[in-house]
Amino acid sequence: MRFALSEDQALLQRSTREFFATEFPMEQNRRVMEHEPAGFERAGWGHIAEMGYLGLTVPSARGGQGLGAVELAVVLEEAGRHCVPGPLLDGMLAATLLASGTGHDALLADVLAGRRLVTIARDEALYAGGRAAPTAFERGRVRGTKYFVPFAASADALAVATADQIVVATGPFAATALPTFDLSQRFAQVTLDGPATALGPAALLGRVDLLAAVGAGAMLLGLMSRMLEATIAYTQTRQAFGKPIAIFQALQHRMAEMLARTESTRAAVYRAAWCVDHDDAEAPLACAAAKAWAADAARLVCGEAIQMHGGIGFTWELDVHFYFKRAKTLEQHYGSTATQLERALAAAGY
Amino acid sequence: MDLHLSPAHLAFRDELRAWLRANLRRPWRDELRDPAHGEDSLMELRRAWQRKLHEAGYLGMDWPREWGGRGATAVEKAIFEAEMAHADAPQILNTLGIGLLGPALIHHGSEEQRRRFVPPMLAGDEIWCQGFSEPGAGSDLASIKTSAVLDGDSFVLNGQKVWTTFGPWADWIFVLARTDPKDRYGGISFLLCKLDTPGVTVRPLRQMTGESEFGEVFFEDARVPREQLVGHVGEGWRIAMTVLAYERGAVGLAMANRYGRDLAELAAACRELGRTDTASREKLGRLLVENEVLRAAGVRMLATLAEGRAPGAESSLEKITWSEFDKRFRETALDLLGPGGQLLRHAPGARSEVDWAREYLWSRAGTIYSGSSEIQRNIIAKRVLGLPQDGR
């Protein structure tokens, strides 16, 4: 029995941490988030593809790395820690979905190489009242409206969920940008009315959902870890009443609580990932719990980071707000907390 | 990562499960539902259960065999606790003797002391209570004032202990006493005292649950033979730290099993009561999620032990996690159960599976005993986060 990462996994963690630190320094991420309309740069995306991250959980027979959810978590924890903007998780999930369906080999190869971007279009729940007609696939055409499609404006194709199957629609799409306060992500409302090809049954999303929960949970874990480190460092530098403020018990106890949330999230996320990789019967419950918990924990930890930084914590200048905002996006997507709670209850038979 | 139990651990678990199926009479709680049964009945039931476990070789799990233990690993001990919780077994009677004093004697006691005290401790013939806290020394344990003065062949004890768990039921007490008033840590010694010694008075304290599981112990010129000193004079603090490390133990998985069982009962009760609205489902879902997180932390702790590492400050994280969750869990449970959740055990219509009213009250104790949540956060701030210390 061993909770620590294997040698290979630890190596992946080190190389990923180094890669993001070198290729995605925060000043650059900040520039991309603030000024790049797409929300990411093609050059950086190419580097991500070269590292093989996009095909991490794609079987090697289909051109991927053939690794599992634990490795996915390792990479995304680091992406969260470095606040890497762009469709990394979305691209990984779409590649996994494409590889689990039939046909689309050329598209999958292009996705893994970073030449084309595919994301998953799923959500039909309207963000402001009402509900759209369900997306339908008939006689080779897909029709419908999808909301909050990740990076739709940059996507070359979308994997579109209908009630019973997944189809692939090729762009360009009529996409209306849905700007939110989180600049690390880009969303759009997409109206589909064009040719599409069948990928497979909707049940293919089952595995994608588990990986999405683990992946988003791991990213949240990375955000939290970084915010805890930043808070510990800042409170030891900042002086008040002639002392570093880290000396005050009121702050120490809150930082202890931040650690408790971060470490319990780590246990939950990596155990969930391990359960997915071993087809463990506990996987659905473990994944739902990990994602729901990680979301609450990250909101608390990132919020406490703002509070303990004081006035500077509320400025645009400090990086903390990017983390705080991203935590909220990750909470509401990849299976919102309400969705994860229902999944957990269903998995437990309650 | 590898979260599978090893084949040896799996075999141990399966053997234990088989033994429990054959030996644990369920539902044992029903025997206690008769109003004629008081706390004595529970204690006797616990004594009988302890003896059964002892005969089967399941007590003193991680003690050496020569002292009546099983010689098992820390992992097996954690699995044992988890399985007991999973099977809803009663607690043993001598929790403090076996859980705390036993390890202290094995680490720091003399051969004669082990020979004298360990066998009746295991057999449930001598029940122990823990004399640490005092009216003026709780979280700040090192400020104890109970004094022990050597006079000829015995120490003369004077002072008062309080919140002494099992005081009213115990035969013996292990006491932290001050042998040097000038040396805060080095002036503390660890003594064993029989409770019927002249000059010792035990008074039960009624807890908010109505039970008197704890009490207070007064020493007025009580003489304790010199050979009942554990370790050397002045080693008491070090021994106490060994004891407290055992007290915090690796219990996350056991707690998750216990709460998981109660949660399943709560879910069933919600269905019966028609509490299936969205708000109720969300409450139940959040409890389930939090318990799964506790389970994951317990699995991680088990793996830490399996790698041969001592948990250290991780025990503080684990203790905060389960004890703070316990409060939220029991509060939400009563919320979902409605007024019926407050019914006493033998009231008409009280739910039989879990004593929800008692659990609700007891959950307020977990964040105080064995190092309050505040003390655990101090430990984390200092030992894990490395934060500066002179602010208080």
Side-chain angles (χ1 to χ4, degrees):
Chain A
M1 223 183 168
R2 181 184 150 98
F3 189 84
L5 298 174
S6 71
E7 246 172 72
D8 287 349
Q9 290 160 348
L11 191 66
L12 175 69
Q13 186 183 52
R14 276 199 301 279
S15 62
T16 303
R17 189 170 292 185
E18 225 166 87
F19 170 74
F20 285 138
T22 316
E23 299 292 326
F24 292 84
M26 196 60 196
E27 319 82 76
Q28 179 184 312
N29 295 342
R30 181 181 266 275
R31 180 178 54 71
V32 169
M33 287 192 276
E34 289 178 1
H35 302 298
E36 177 54 62
F40 69 108
E41 286 183 321
R42 285 285 169 176
W45 189 248
H47 291 146
I48 282 178
E50 279 165 30
M51 290 297 284
Y53 294 144
L54 298 173
L56 206 67
T57 53
V58 169
S60 29
R62 309 227 44 198
Q65 307 248 7
L67 295 171
V70 172
E71 286 82 4
L72 176 101
V74 165
V75 169
L76 288 166
E77 183 190 342
E78 293 308 319
R81 179 188 298 277
H82 292 88
C83 205
V84 176
L88 178 56
L89 172 55
D90 309 292
M92 290 167 117
L93 295 175
T96 307
L97 182 60
L98 284 177
S100 64
T102 49
H104 303 93
D105 289 0
L107 180 59
L108 176 62
D110 280 357
V111 164
L112 297 184
R115 285 188 295 270
R116 283 198 275 175
L117 176 68
V118 177
T119 66
I120 301 173
R122 198 156 174 195
D123 208 351
E124 289 167 9
L126 201 48
Y127 45 92
R131 179 175 272 277
T135 303
F137 177 60
E138 279 172 343
R139 290 187 287 276
R141 286 184 79 82
V142 64
R143 276 197 192 83
T145 303
K146 294 288 188 184
Y147 298 94
F148 282 95
V149 180
F151 295 90
S154 308
D156 302 285
L158 294 175
V160 181
T162 71
D164 54 356
Q165 59 186 325
I166 316 291
V167 301
V168 174
T170 312
F173 307 100
T176 310
L178 299 175
T180 71
F181 55 59
D182 176 16
L183 294 174
S184 71
Q185 303 275 333
R186 293 294 187 274
F187 295 101
Q189 172 182 325
V190 178
T191 303
L192 296 157
D193 186 9
T197 46
L199 179 69
L204 292 181
L205 287 171
R207 180 173 163 76
V208 171
D209 282 342
L210 296 181
L211 291 175
V214 167
M219 251 179 156
L220 287 159
L221 174 62
L223 299 177
M224 293 158 73
S225 305
R226 177 72 197 104
M227 285 299 95
L228 176 57
E229 287 164 17
T231 306
I232 290 170
Y234 179 74
T235 55
Q236 296 194 68
T237 317
R238 171 72 187 166
Q239 302 264 328
F241 309 103
K243 294 170 185 168
I245 60 174
I247 236 168
F248 300 117
Q249 198 178 33
L251 299 197
Q252 291 197 348
H253 280 195
R254 289 163 65 177
M255 286 187 265
E257 189 60 30
M258 288 165 81
L259 179 82
R261 303 285 174 128
T262 306
E263 288 309 308
S264 56
T265 300
R266 182 178 307 284
V269 166
Y270 280 96
R271 172 170 180 259
W274 187 88
C275 286
V276 170
D277 288 343
H278 291 80
D279 292 322
D280 194 289
E282 298 279 305
L285 179 53
C287 288
K291 168 64 167 59
W293 180 258
D296 282 0
R299 204 178 51 245
L300 179 128
V301 169
C302 297
E304 287 288 78
I306 294 178
Q307 178 69 20
M308 282 187 250
H309 278 80
I312 187 91
F314 192 68
T315 61
W316 189 270
E317 180 193 343
L318 201 75
D319 295 332
V320 172
H321 68 98
F322 289 111
Y323 286 77
F324 178 76
K325 292 165 178 174
R326 191 162 201 177
K328 194 66 191 171
T329 307
L330 288 166
E331 173 186 333
Q332 293 187 317
H333 295 270
Y334 311 106
S336 68
T337 298
T339 303
Q340 301 296 355
L341 291 180
E342 266 315 316
R343 283 184 194 161
L345 288 165
Y350 296 170
Chain B
M1 281 185 84
D2 177 13
L3 302 183
H4 285 303
L5 290 178
S6 72
H9 290 150
L10 270 179
F12 169 76
R13 189 195 70 183
D14 291 345
E15 177 203 306
L16 179 57
R17 281 187 178 175
W19 184 86
L20 279 165
R21 272 195 301 276
N23 289 280
L24 179 60
R25 220 159 10 115
R26 294 227 41 205
W28 58 271
R29 285 180 205 282
D30 283 359
E31 296 175 21
L32 303 172
R33 292 177 60 75
D34 184 337
H37 286 302
E39 277 183 79
D40 299 25
S41 309
L42 176 62
M43 295 301 170
E44 283 318 310
L45 185 139
R46 287 173 64 169
R47 194 194 304 270
W49 177 240
Q50 176 178 334
R51 288 184 174 152
K52 221 168 197 179
L53 284 169
H54 181 41
E55 282 157 25
Y58 284 123
L59 289 189
M61 285 291 299
D62 56 346
W63 303 0
R65 281 172 188 276
E66 58 173 318
W67 301 117
R70 194 184 175 89
T73 61
V75 178
E76 284 164 332
K77 186 180 178 214
I79 293 172
F80 172 82
E81 298 298 344
E83 289 303 315
M84 290 295 126
H86 183 70
D88 190 21
Q91 281 196 293
I92 60 169
L93 183 57
N94 207 2
T95 47
L96 299 169
I98 293 172
L100 307 182
L101 179 61
L105 289 179
I106 286 164
H107 285 280
H108 307 282
S110 67
E111 174 116 13
E112 295 72 47
Q113 285 170 341
R114 293 178 195 138
R115 213 184 297 286
R116 163 64 188 84
F117 293 111
V118 170
M121 176 191 297
L122 286 169
D125 293 333
E126 285 178 352
I127 305 304
W128 286 85
C129 64
Q130 178 184 10
F132 278 21
S133 294
E134 294 182 7
S139 288
D140 180 15
L141 186 58
S143 57
I144 54 155
K145 289 203 172 62
T146 294
S147 66
V149 177
L150 192 58
D151 176 32
D153 280 343
S154 46
F155 287 94
V156 180
L157 276 179
N158 277 289
Q160 183 194 347
K161 295 291 174 182
V162 76
W163 328 133
T164 313
T165 303
F166 268 106
W169 309 94
D171 308 293
W172 284 79
I173 183 169
F174 51 97
V175 182
L176 283 187
R178 186 153 290 289
T179 37
D180 180 353
K182 291 188 291 294
D183 189 344
R184 182 169 155 88
Y185 296 102
I188 295 173
S189 299
F190 196 103
L191 293 160
L192 310 176
C193 175
K194 200 155 195 271
L195 284 172
D196 64 5
T197 305
V200 179
T201 313
V202 182
R203 260 211 332 243
L205 285 172
R206 197 164 186 215
Q207 292 157 314
M208 64 182 271
T209 59
E211 297 153 292
S212 295
E213 198 207 34
F214 67 23
E216 50 193 344
V217 182
F218 299 86
F219 301 96
E220 288 163 290
D221 292 329
R223 299 189 79 88
V224 173
R226 193 178 183 158
E227 55 274 19
Q228 285 163 214
L229 168 77
V230 180
H232 296 290
V233 169
E235 280 190 338
W237 186 256
R238 198 161 67 88
I239 301 171
M241 291 304 106
T242 304
V243 167
L244 293 179
Y246 271 88
E247 189 173 15
R248 279 162 208 163
V251 295
L253 204 53
M255 288 306 191
N257 278 347
R258 185 172 153 224
Y259 299 145
R261 218 184 48 229
D262 289 1
L263 256 174
E265 298 294 350
L266 183 61
C270 284
R271 270 195 305 276
E272 264 174 58
L273 297 167
R275 305 287 308 249
T276 51
D277 54 287
T278 312
S280 299
R281 297 284 292 165
E282 179 178 343
K283 284 178 185 167
L284 192 63
R286 286 191 184 273
L287 294 179
L288 174 62
V289 160
E290 196 164 350
N291 196 45
E292 285 311 304
V293 174
L294 176 59
R295 187 185 309 284
V299 168
R300 182 187 187 179
M301 177 67 96
L302 205 60
T304 301
L305 297 174
E307 288 171 60
R309 290 192 289 122
E314 286 142 308
S315 316
S316 293
L317 281 178
E318 190 176 65
K319 205 223 148 190
I320 291 189
T321 306
W322 71 255
S323 61
E324 294 290 342
F325 171 56
D326 193 21
K327 290 199 287 202
R328 286 191 285 278
F329 175 24
R330 306 304 175 176
E331 274 167 17
T332 310
L334 251 62
D335 195 4
L336 289 168
L337 292 166
Q342 287 184 47
L343 288 172
L344 298 182
R345 192 172 68 227
H346 24 67
R351 306 194 69 88
S352 60
E353 68 286 346
V354 179
D355 193 341
W356 294 105
R358 183 173 182 270
E359 296 292 353
Y360 174 65
L361 299 178
W362 263 108
S363 72
R364 307 313 299 196
T367 51
I368 300 171
Y369 65 64
S370 184
S372 66
S373 291
E374 289 70 25
I375 287 293
Q376 308 297 349
R377 290 191 186 102
N378 284 349
I379 293 173
I380 293 165
K382 181 178 170 181
R383 300 211 203 131
V384 186
L385 302 179
L387 298 176
Q389 286 302 302
D390 49 340
R392 51 176 184 272

